[in-house]
Structure formats: C-alpha cells, structure tokens
Amino acid sequence: MKWPTGVGLGWRRQLAHYIDEAEGLGFVEVLAEHLSPTGPLPVPLVRLRERGVPVVLHAVSLGLGSAEPPEQRRLDWLARMAERVGAVCVSEHLCFVRAGGRESGHLLPLPRNERMLEVLAENVRQAEAALPVPLALENVASLFDWPEPALSEAQWLVGVLERTGARLLLDVANLHANALNLGTDAAAVLAAVPRGRLAYVHVAGGVKRGGLYHDTHAHAVPEGPLALLEALVARVGPVPTLLERDDRFPPPAELTAELEGIRAALARGRASWEARAA
C-alpha cells in the first residue's frame, strides 16, 4: 500500500466535494467513529480509494491509556473498518477516555511516569496484534497536567516509542497548545522525535479564550503550529502533513489558502534541511 506523502486533509462529509475536486492532496484521514459499522461507505470516500489516494483511519475511542486493556470488540471493529476503507495506517491517541464503564467524552492526558508507560505498552501491544496495518500514536492537547510528572513531554514520547513498535503521529497544533497552556518545551519535543518512527503530522486551528489556548479544529491555523512544522522539517526532512478541520468549515478559497500555508511551511523547512545536508 502507498504510504501518505505531501499535504493531506481530514475527510469530513462537509468537505467531501472539495476533497473530490482538490488537486495535489497527498492523502486523507477519515474518522472511524464517523463511519457506519455495517452500512456502505460514503461514495466519495470509495472514489478516493479507487483513485489510489492513501487513506488513514483515525480513531478516538479505543482508550489505549486506560488501566483496563482495550476491549476486544473495539479492536475487532477497528480492524474491520481499516480493511473496509483500505487504510494504510490506523492512528489513535495517547490518552484515556473511560474508566469503570464511564465515558469521559474527552481525550484526557495520561500521567507521565514509568508505570503508565508499562500499562500503555501492553495496551498498544494488544492493539498492534489485532490491527491489519501499522498503528500510529498521537500526542494530545490538554488544559491541565497531572501533578509532578516524572517525565517531560519529550521524554514521555521517547519512552512510548522505545517500549512499543508503534509510530508517532505528531500533532504540532497540540504541541503548540500545550506550550502555551502548560509550558511544554516544544523545541525539546521536536529535537527528540526520531524520523524513522514519524508516521505523519497533524496541523489544526484554535483560539485563545479565557487566558487559555483551545485546540478547536474550527478556526484558522495560527502561526505557532506552522512554525513548529517548519522547525520539525528543518531537522528531519519532509514529512506527510494533514490539516484537520471539524467545524465552522470555511469557503473553498480559505481552505485552499490554509493548505497552501502548510505547503509553504514545509517548503521553508525543507530548504533549511537541504542547506544543512549540502
């Protein structure tokens, strides 16, 4: 299967027509929970697959950071959905979403310590064994942090990669949010990412409210995430990068401008990377 390249866009029904006609999209990412487990796939998504556009299946409900192991029925469902859409990769989040049968409704952060790494590694191992394609794990944005973390965000992500066979979906918008809200050292995270384990990158928009930065996926992409993307590419070289948009969908011209902004950041980073290598 063809791995994603270039710039991609999250597939949403509201964007299906735009994506169907857009030129130069390297891949799409579809939310598993937005698809019917038994009904037919949306026709525009089937057309993309027939055209050979790589599809990544993105999930939000597996709960890999829970103390309880992932439910087999959820793993089986995700594996079936990956096969149905012809996914080249499945991505999920480094978070927990439920405990004791109660759903949080949010992607909640994990305590960054060795014990949590052990739990996460076992849950990821079970997920990888159940899925027909590679698994990529995404860093999440949060408005709070656990008290007295034993590991920095950079050390935490390195620990996850060292203990699992999964790849990393680096969300620079989430990293930007955590740098503003929690004081996360974004530069240290970028420096710690091994290129060989980097699956792809997320970029999304957000807004400041009440003194906090909210990763909304419903506003224009600010300069912060684009600067992080440029810095990442300057260090590791070109990486597949996807724009997420989940609400307040803009007119086609604005969406195209956002994609061009991502391409420009990638180009600037690549120029720096090539200059270093020369």
Side-chain angles (χ1 to χ4, degrees):
M1 290 183 284
K2 181 182 175 184
W3 192 260
T5 58
V7 174
L9 180 59
W11 193 91
R12 306 293 184 266
R13 293 179 187 274
Q14 297 89 334
L15 299 177
H17 180 69
Y18 176 90
I19 291 174
D20 199 39
E21 295 192 339
E23 296 182 1
L25 282 182
F27 64 112
V28 297
E29 178 192 78
V30 60
L31 285 168
E33 288 80 4
H34 283 188
L35 299 175
S36 169
T38 56
L41 294 175
V43 172
L45 192 57
V46 173
R47 283 202 298 265
L48 287 173
R49 189 179 62 182
E50 291 173 346
R51 283 165 41 194
V53 177
V55 176
V56 174
L57 185 66
H58 192 53
V60 298
S61 61
L62 198 53
L64 292 172
S66 299
E68 304 159 344
E71 298 176 7
Q72 190 60 47
R73 66 179 181 85
R74 294 182 185 274
L75 292 174
D76 292 342
W77 160 77
L78 199 55
R80 288 196 303 272
M81 294 307 299
E83 291 176 340
R84 288 188 67 202
V85 302
V88 300
C89 174
V90 169
S91 55
E92 247 288 5
H93 300 80
L94 289 164
C95 69
F96 75 92
V97 295
R98 71 182 60 84
R102 294 181 179 273
E103 299 286 337
S104 70
H106 295 278
L107 303 176
L108 297 172
L110 301 175
R112 298 193 303 275
N113 56 47
E114 293 292 334
R115 177 57 181 152
M116 188 67 247
L117 283 176
E118 293 175 7
V119 172
L120 185 62
E122 176 57 25
N123 290 346
V124 170
R125 184 195 65 77
Q126 293 185 35
E128 288 182 307
L131 295 174
V133 292
L135 174 66
L137 303 173
E138 179 183 354
N139 58 305
V140 299
S142 180
L143 300 178
F144 71 93
D145 206 355
W146 288 78
E148 301 180 358
L151 301 170
S152 69
E153 184 77 7
Q155 292 169 328
W156 165 254
L157 292 177
V158 169
V160 170
L161 296 179
E162 287 178 345
R163 288 165 176 79
T164 72
R167 302 180 74 174
L168 177 65
L169 161 51
L170 183 64
D171 191 314
V172 293
N174 290 349
L175 184 57
H176 172 69
N178 290 346
L180 293 178
N181 295 336
L182 308 176
T184 298
D185 188 343
V189 172
L190 297 184
V193 173
R195 177 63 182 93
R197 300 291 294 278
L198 188 57
Y200 63 111
V201 173
H202 270 173
V203 175
V207 65
K208 278 189 175 181
R209 286 197 299 257
L212 291 172
Y213 182 84
H214 296 263
D215 176 54
T216 64
H217 297 189
H219 294 81
V221 177
E223 285 301 315
L226 295 177
L228 292 176
L229 175 62
E230 180 180 343
L232 174 68
V233 175
R235 188 180 77 80
V236 304
V239 292
T241 303
L242 181 128
L243 173 64
E244 292 183 291
R245 188 80 182 211
D246 294 322
D247 202 358
R248 297 178 62 181
F249 299 98
E254 290 184 25
L255 195 58
T256 298
E258 289 213 314
L259 292 170
E260 288 304 316
I262 292 172
R263 291 188 176 98
L266 289 168
R268 292 192 300 270
R270 179 168 186 163
S272 297
W273 174 70
E274 290 176 342
R276 288 183 187 179

